[in-house]
């Protein structure tokens, strides 16, 4: 007797259980992304020593990550529209896991830059694809759960950095990053099975078919709004990049604290951001998108003003934590709004602009520190956080809460 009820390779999302499984799978990819990237970052000093690269050569090699990510982010939006965000997420997850093992195999700055171009391409691709998948799920759930996915990314990064620091003295970079490859492939296999077995959930409204709901050509107003939300993402990521690269130096150089205490500066910021994102859904349900954007920007601006100009280390650490709480949910909300307006293409634009902000922050702070001082330079984070709040208020009619 023929197996007429054989399951299809792709099935529609049929109920709450399917949505819950999809949410768990997408969350796993966000956590994996943060975990793998942080694991690579903590081994950069060892890779530098292995390749014999100078500081300037290493800086050029690291641009490979940025270049690969920015180029691929735009392309990934098109791939998601063509093939779907779920399979693209899985493919990028495999590439990310495989490419993280390549840097320890290089022995020159040029070779390192080339493999980091591949790693950056996978990193940029998975960020757009998994955010696109998350936007579809948020629409189906009819709940503002986007911050929870980014909380998983932050938590994965903290775990990856912590474990990396623990094994740095006992494992070579080759073995450490190869272990990340194995973990990445296992997570991708387990979570990817759920994504590949379900089509992205598309809530039907007023009897519309999937074809009727397919993205149409964007008008000028919608395209402009997508860029505006991308600008909000840029303002947020600028602060994250600035604190990651300059926060510890500010504490050590300007407040004369021990390097160990200085290193806690970014930890306070990252932990506060993780906590803020974990509670982001509740915050959005109570305040709405506009108030969350405006309140978050204002909070971050106040916190960074304290963190940059405080005369004591404890006040500065408190300022870093307040900044993390303020910035926590701005990026997820901006990406979600861009995605809901323009689909994967909107996610790609907002993500590219946001990543550009993360790249712009560190060098911009460095130039301003040379011209003025590092504390004054760090107040630029305050300015951009305040700008994000103003833009969020200006888009209140587009971000109906």
């Amino acid at each position: 007797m023929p197996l007429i009820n054989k399951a299809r390779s792709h099935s529609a999302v049929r109920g709450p259980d399917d949505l819950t499984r999809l949410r768990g799978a997408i969350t796993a990819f966000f956590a994996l992304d943060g975990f793998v990237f942080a694991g690579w970052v903590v081994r950069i000093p060892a890779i530098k020593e292995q390749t014999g690269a100078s500081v300037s050569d290493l800086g050029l090699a690291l641009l490979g990550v940025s270049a690969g990510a920015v180029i691929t982010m735009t392309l990934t939006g098109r791939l998601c529209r063509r093939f779907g965000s779920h399979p693209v997420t899985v493919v990028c997850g495999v590439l990310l896991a495989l490419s993280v093992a390549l840097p320890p195999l290089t022995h020159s700055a040029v070779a390192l830059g080339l493999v980091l171009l591949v790693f950056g391409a996978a990193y940029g691709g998975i960020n757009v694809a998994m955010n696109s998948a998350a936007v579809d799920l948020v629409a189906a759930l009819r709940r503002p759960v986007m911050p929870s996915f980014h909380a998983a990314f932050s938590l994965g990064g903290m775990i990856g950095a912590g474990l990396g620091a623990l094994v740095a003295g006992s494992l070579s970079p080759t073995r450490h990053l190869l272990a990340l490859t194995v973990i990445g492939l296992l997570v991708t296999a387990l979570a990817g099975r759920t994504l590949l077995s379900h089509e992205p959930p598309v809530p039907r409204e007023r009897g519309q078919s999937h074809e009727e709901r397919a993205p149409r050509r964007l008008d000028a107003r919608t395209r402009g709004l997508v860029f505006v939300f991308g600008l909000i993402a840029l303002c947020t990521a600028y602060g994250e990049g600035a604190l990651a690269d300059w926060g510890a130096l500010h504490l050590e150089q300007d407040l004369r604290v021990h390097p160990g205490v200085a290193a806690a500066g970014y930890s306070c910021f990252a932990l506060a951001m993780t906590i803020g994102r974990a509670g982001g859904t509740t915050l959005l349900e109570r305040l709405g998108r506009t108030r969350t954007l405006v309140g978050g920007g204002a909070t971050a601006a106040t916190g960074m003003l304290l963190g940059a100009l405080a005369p004591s280390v404890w006040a500065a650490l408190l300022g870093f934590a307040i900044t993390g709480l303020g910035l926590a949910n701005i990026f997820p909300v901006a990406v979600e709004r861009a995605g809901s307006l323009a689909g994967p293409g909107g996610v790609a634009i907002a993500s590219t602009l946001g990543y550009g902000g993360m790249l712009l922050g560190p060098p911009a702070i460095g130039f301003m520190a040379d011209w003025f001082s590092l504390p004054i330079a760090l107040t630029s984070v305050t300015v951009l956080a305040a700008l994000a709040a103003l833009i969020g208020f200006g888009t209140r009619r587009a971000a109906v809460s």
Side-chain angles (χ1 to χ4, degrees), residues 13 15-27 137 141 194:
V13 175
D17 289 343
D18 286 339
L19 292 176
T20 299
R21 283 193 288 270
L22 276 179
R23 183 176 180 181
I26 296 171
T27 299
L137 185 60
L141 289 171
T194 299

Side-chain angles (χ1 to χ4, degrees), residues 168-300:
S170 56
L171 286 182
S172 67
T174 302
R175 292 183 177 180
H176 176 201
L177 297 186
L178 183 59
L180 295 188
T181 294
V182 174
I183 294 172
L185 292 176
L186 287 174
V187 172
T188 299
L190 293 173
R193 182 178 181 182
T194 299
L195 290 190
L196 294 178
S197 63
H198 293 87
E199 295 178 353
V202 180
R204 295 192 177 189
E205 297 177 3
R206 299 178 183 177
Q208 287 180 311
S209 67
H210 178 76
E211 290 75 15
E212 291 172 328
R213 288 182 54 83
R216 296 179 174 86
R217 189 178 184 85
L218 300 180
D219 56 35
R221 179 180 179 276
T222 301
R223 189 178 297 276
L225 282 172
V226 169
F227 275 98
V228 167
F229 285 115
L231 182 59
I232 293 175
L234 183 152
C235 292
T236 304
Y238 175 97
E240 188 171 354
L243 278 170
D245 283 26
W246 294 102
L249 182 62
H250 164 58
L251 295 176
E252 185 175 347
Q253 171 184 289
D254 299 311
L255 298 181
R256 308 295 182 184
V257 302
H258 187 274
V261 177
Y266 183 71
S267 298
C268 289
F269 171 80
L271 179 60
M273 179 171 278
T274 303
I275 293 172
R277 286 175 169 174
T281 296
T282 301
L283 191 68
L284 284 166
E285 288 176 333
R286 292 184 178 180
L287 300 181
R289 294 188 183 95
T290 298
R291 290 179 180 176
T292 299
L293 287 176
V294 174
T299 299

Side-chain angles (χ1 to χ4, degrees), residues 313-360:
V313 62
W314 301 114
L317 291 176
L318 176 62
F320 285 3
I322 293 173
T323 304
L325 287 174
L327 294 180
N329 297 302
I330 301 178
F331 189 95
V333 171
V335 170
E336 187 270 329
R337 289 302 298 147
S340 65
L341 286 169
V347 174
I349 292 171
S351 298
T352 302
L353 287 172
Y355 197 78
M358 187 171 289
L359 299 179
L360 175 65

